[in-house]
Amino acid sequence: MKNNNRKHTGWYVTFFFIAALMAGLFTSCEKVAAAKENPEQMKVFGEMEATLTHPPMVPRPVGNRAPTKLIVNMEVIEKEMEMANGVSYVYWTFDGTVPGTFIRAREGDEIEFHLKNHPDSKLPHNIDLHAVTGPGGGAESSFVAPGREAVFNFKALNPGLYVYHCATAPVGMHVANGMYGLILIEPAGGLPPVDKEYYIMQGDFYTEGNHGDRGLQAFDMQKAIDEKPDYVVFNGSVGALTGDKAIHAEVGETVRLFVGNGGPNLVSSFHVIGEIFDKVYVEGGSQVNENVQTTLIPAGGSAIVEFKVDVPGELVLVDHSIFRAFNKGALGILKVEGKENKRIFSGKVEEKPYNPGAKAPIDGETTGGAIPVEATASTSDKMERGKAIYAQSCLACHQATGSGIPSVFPPLADSDYLNEDVHRAIGAVKFGLTGEITVNGTKYNSVMPPQNLTDEDVANVMTYIYNNWGNNKTEVTPDMVKEVK
Ligand SMILES: [Cu+2]
């Protein structure tokens, strides 16, 4: 093309200019492509400030932009925040949240990292980014006292999802107080597009009081050394991803979760109840596994999981070391809205008696019209049956005497919530319950899963509860249960 231009000497200047531009573009494209094999050689174009986001949101994808000089500004803030209902904790944070803000960059970017430490901080801090190739992941270079700012540069050589964390001594304590987050280095051309992306990070916390003990809780070093956390949570606190803080998607959408584990101690068995991961970028790297139920996320590690949501409902995010989910807080909700698809999931289509000991009834033997069982069941039968259902379905959470567990599971014994409104209580048992409620003056903001009982059994178990433990002796009938929609 250049040769061609040279023949038309009258247009020489213009053509030369255009040709030079195109040649420039062409070689820059070549460099981008060639850089795949040689990321250190990747040239950067221009300069921009990174947009950082608080969890559970993530910044916009890099798309097909060229590598650039990316300026990251982050601030260390020590502040008191809520860990659970009525429980607070002095967290040490990157940008004021746990986990810290999400950084999204591209392979080949040259990152100019500014770490500021708020003047009100009591301690110096630093940052070790696992995306850094260099001593300490930047820890020494970023070490910064309160009221000061440290700057260092690094080139993002490897694509992947990386943890960053504070590495100031005692390191374990800085991490245990919430000093971690994620940095995503996208490959050239970016990750394939999806409909929804979210940022979730697990962490374990060690408080002087036990789980649920109210008030400001101090860090407990001995429990941390013993690896016996009182709280295991997503995004820094119990309920950070439930109730009106649940994350959302619509039927038919593809969802990508960037999941990290700050630790400091526990490994996460990350699972979404009611979904299968179509893809997992194992350990946040480039290897993709498919059709995975539960993926292991090491402390100081990550995974990217992707799935398409096909039916509506509440998907429950858990650490499948399951006591952590239902007793220590590692539980979140992804609410999927849209049209049902009965072929993919029908819901319960039938429920009938199963009694292997009994004689099979002979057809036509029940003359005079089949009498519904509940019409003949005496109150003592109902209480008997209700007691059995309670033991099987409710006791694990609400406890044998209906006492519940403070701050985790509300009491059913002498419960004002229960006695005030029978229809509301039926609704809780029939459809499950999320969001904040107050029982006997104490706030709960957790999740009770739907119980999948027949209307008759809901009536039985509720009659049992209402006629025990100081409740108001309401008799609940299957018809009352049927009416609650
Ligand atoms: Cu720190």
Side-chain angles (χ1 to χ4, degrees):
M1 200 174 171
K2 272 186 198 165
N3 290 342
N4 210 17
N5 294 341
R6 279 188 195 115
K7 287 178 193 162
H8 304 268
T9 41
W11 296 91
Y12 180 79
V13 176
T14 320
F15 273 97
F16 178 76
F17 183 67
I18 291 169
L21 252 179
M22 292 186 69
L25 268 179
F26 184 65
T27 49
S28 73
C29 291
E30 260 189 341
K31 270 182 188 155
V32 171
K36 271 211 147 167
E37 292 103 59
N38 203 359
E40 312 92 81
Q41 301 295 314
M42 221 180 249
K43 223 177 125 185
V44 299
F45 298 86
E47 169 179 321
M48 61 196 244
E49 192 185 336
T51 306
L52 309 183
T53 57
H54 293 290
M57 306 320 287
V58 294
R60 290 180 49 192
V62 299
N64 54 12
R65 76 162 168 80
T68 191
K69 179 173 174 189
L70 191 67
I71 298 167
V72 174
N73 281 296
M74 211 177 247
E75 185 185 27
V76 173
I77 304 169
E78 301 169 358
K79 70 172 186 185
E80 185 176 332
M81 294 189 287
E82 192 166 79
M83 181 169 289
N85 259 310
V87 183
S88 62
Y89 190 82
V90 177
Y91 291 89
W92 299 348
T93 74
F94 289 106
D95 277 341
T97 51
V98 178
T101 43
F102 194 99
I103 310 167
R104 192 160 191 160
R106 181 204 190 277
E107 167 185 25
D109 279 355
E110 288 174 10
I111 296 170
E112 182 181 296
F113 203 103
H114 296 244
L115 189 67
K116 300 155 194 192
N117 192 351
H118 195 280
D120 292 347
S121 294
K122 297 204 166 54
L123 294 154
H125 299 279
N126 65 12
I127 192 165
D128 165 354
L129 299 117
H130 293 178
V132 168
T133 306
E140 256 175 67
S141 319
S142 61
F143 185 79
V144 65
R148 299 190 63 83
E149 171 178 345
V151 185
F152 72 104
N153 295 281
F154 71 95
K155 193 166 179 71
L157 299 183
N158 302 66
L161 179 63
Y162 298 96
V163 166
Y164 65 77
H165 62 88
C166 183
T168 304
V171 179
M173 183 175 174
H174 284 249
V175 174
N177 283 344
M179 298 199 79
Y180 44 76
L182 291 178
I183 173 170
L184 173 67
I185 309 297
E186 290 201 63
L191 290 169
V194 291
D195 297 309
K196 292 277 160 68
E197 293 185 322
Y198 292 107
Y199 169 24
I200 293 159
M201 203 157 177
Q202 184 170 321
D204 28 297
F205 289 89
Y206 305 82
T207 52
E208 250 166 23
N210 291 324
H211 182 103
D213 283 0
R214 303 175 75 79
L216 178 63
Q217 292 293 326
F219 169 70
D220 188 316
M221 189 64 154
Q222 194 54 49
K223 284 183 183 172
I225 291 168
D226 296 342
E227 305 189 15
K228 287 192 173 141
D230 301 280
Y231 295 89
V232 182
V233 297
F234 296 129
N235 291 359
S237 65
V238 178
L241 290 171
T242 62
D244 44 7
K245 294 194 202 127
I247 52 177
H248 288 259
E250 316 236 315
V251 167
E253 286 187 327
T254 45
V255 178
R256 174 181 289 142
L257 304 179
F258 297 104
V259 193
N261 185 4
N265 286 319
L266 301 187
V267 166
S268 174
S269 301
F270 186 71
H271 176 79
V272 176
I273 300 174
E275 254 307 336
I276 296 154
F277 304 141
D278 298 326
K279 280 187 185 177
V280 174
Y281 292 74
V282 180
E283 293 165 2
S286 305
Q287 168 132 3
V288 174
N289 196 359
E290 292 179 286
N291 305 318
V292 175
Q293 60 197 302
T294 300
T295 192
L296 208 57
I297 309 180
S302 72
I304 305 173
V305 306
E306 295 176 6
F307 48 89
K308 179 165 166 269
V309 287
D310 296 294
V311 294
E314 293 200 338
L315 301 177
V316 187
L317 284 49
V318 296
D319 179 340
H320 214 298
S321 289
I322 207 73
F323 274 98
R324 298 177 191 166
F326 291 107
N327 300 73
K328 293 187 173 177
L331 188 146
I333 300 285
L334 168 61
K335 193 163 186 181
V336 181
E337 280 158 321
K339 267 177 84 174
E340 303 256 14
N341 184 338
K342 298 279 185 194
R343 291 182 65 177
I344 294 178
F345 187 71
S346 73
K348 188 188 272 178
V349 291
E350 202 185 350
E351 159 93 34
K352 51 193 176 187
Y354 169 66
N355 189 351
K359 247 194 344 184
I362 299 156
D363 265 356
E365 204 178 55
T366 47
T367 50
I371 301 161
V373 188
E374 62 263 32
T376 55
S378 70
T379 309
S380 70
D381 287 348
K382 287 178 82 170
M383 290 288 283
E384 206 52 39
R385 176 79 186 135
K387 188 177 178 180
I389 295 162
Y390 186 82
Q392 206 179 330
S393 305
C394 325
L395 183 145
C397 298
H398 292 288
Q399 305 297 297
T401 57
S403 62
I405 293 178
S407 302
V408 189
F409 302 121
L412 298 177
D414 203 7
S415 155
D416 59 0
Y417 186 95
L418 183 77
N419 292 315
E420 244 161 51
D421 184 343
V422 64
H423 294 105
R424 182 177 66 181
I426 292 171
V429 180
K430 222 173 143 177
F431 305 115
L433 191 62
T434 61
E436 189 173 285
I437 61 167
T438 303
V439 184
N440 297 346
T442 302
K443 285 195 174 126
Y444 295 85
N445 191 354
S446 184
V447 181
M448 168 162 147
Q451 295 301 307
N452 275 323
L453 299 170
T454 60
D455 288 353
E456 190 194 339
D457 279 345
V458 172
N460 291 334
V461 73
M462 295 199 73
T463 300
Y464 171 75
I465 292 165
Y466 273 113
N467 289 275
N468 267 299
W469 314 319
N471 289 322
N472 68 4
K473 305 202 185 307
T474 305
E475 183 163 347
V476 180
T477 66
D479 279 345
M480 286 163 73
V481 177
K482 203 171 291 160
E483 272 162 30
V484 176
K485 297 238 157 65

